[in-house]
Amino acid sequence: QVQLVESGGGSVQGGGSLRLACVVSGYNISDYCVGWFRQAPGKEREGVVSVYGDGKPVHGDSVKGRFTISKDNVKNTLYLQMNSLKPEDTAMYYCAADPSPYFCGDAALMMRAMYWGQGTQVTVSS
C-alpha cells in the first residue's frame, strides 16, 4: 500500500523560509515521478514542482528560483525547500507520486498523479 505523509507546514512572515517533508512508504521514490502541488482556498490546484528519478526538476512558473525539490532515497523522503515566501504562496501543499514519468513532464500534471498525501498547510503573512 502506497502512503505519503507530509509535514513541516506552518506560519511564516513574507520573505521567510520553510521546508516541507513527505515520507513515502510502499514504493521507492527513486523509481517514481514525485513532486508537489498546492491549493489555496477558492482557487484551483497549482503544480509546484516535479522530478523523475535523477532527472531535472520541472517547476511551476510562480515558484521558479524560490522553491527547490530534493530527495533522500535512503529515507525514502521527498523535500520542498521554500525560500522568499510570499503571501500568495499560502495554500495547502500536497506531495504526490506516480509510477509513470509522464506526470513529471510538467509541474501541473502532479495534480493528476495516482497517489497524494493528506496535505500540510502553509500560511505566509505580509
Side-chain angles (χ1 to χ4, degrees):
Q1 183 178 0
V2 176
Q3 289 188 322
L4 297 83
V5 180
E6 302 98 333
S7 63
S11 297
V12 64
Q13 285 195 326
S17 298
L18 280 175
R19 189 175 82 151
L20 307 183
C22 175
V23 178
V24 179
S25 59
Y27 70 89
N28 293 324
I29 60 173
S30 59
D31 299 331
Y32 269 54
C33 168
V34 293
W36 298 84
F37 67 92
R38 65 188 182 185
Q39 187 166 24
K43 294 187 177 181
E44 294 185 353
R45 294 183 188 128
E46 178 186 11
V48 175
V49 62
S50 61
V51 64
Y52 183 80
D54 294 328
K56 183 179 179 180
V58 178
H59 294 81
D61 289 340
S62 63
V63 305
K64 284 179 180 176
R66 300 188 298 122
F67 290 13
T68 303
I69 190 171
S70 62
K71 299 186 291 182
D72 184 328
N73 291 335
V74 174
K75 295 182 178 179
N76 221 36
T77 299
L78 183 66
Y79 300 98
L80 181 66
Q81 178 67 42
M82 304 185 294
N83 298 329
S84 302
L85 282 161
K86 305 175 182 179
E88 51 264 42
D89 294 318
T90 295
M92 185 72 80
Y93 283 73
Y94 300 87
C95 66
D98 196 285
S100 172
Y102 166 79
F103 293 93
C104 278
D106 189 299
L109 293 175
M110 288 311 303
M111 297 175 283
R112 294 165 52 191
M114 185 176 296
Y115 304 107
W116 299 1
Q118 83 288 351
T120 186
Q121 178 67 38
V122 172
T123 302
V124 184
S125 58
S126 57

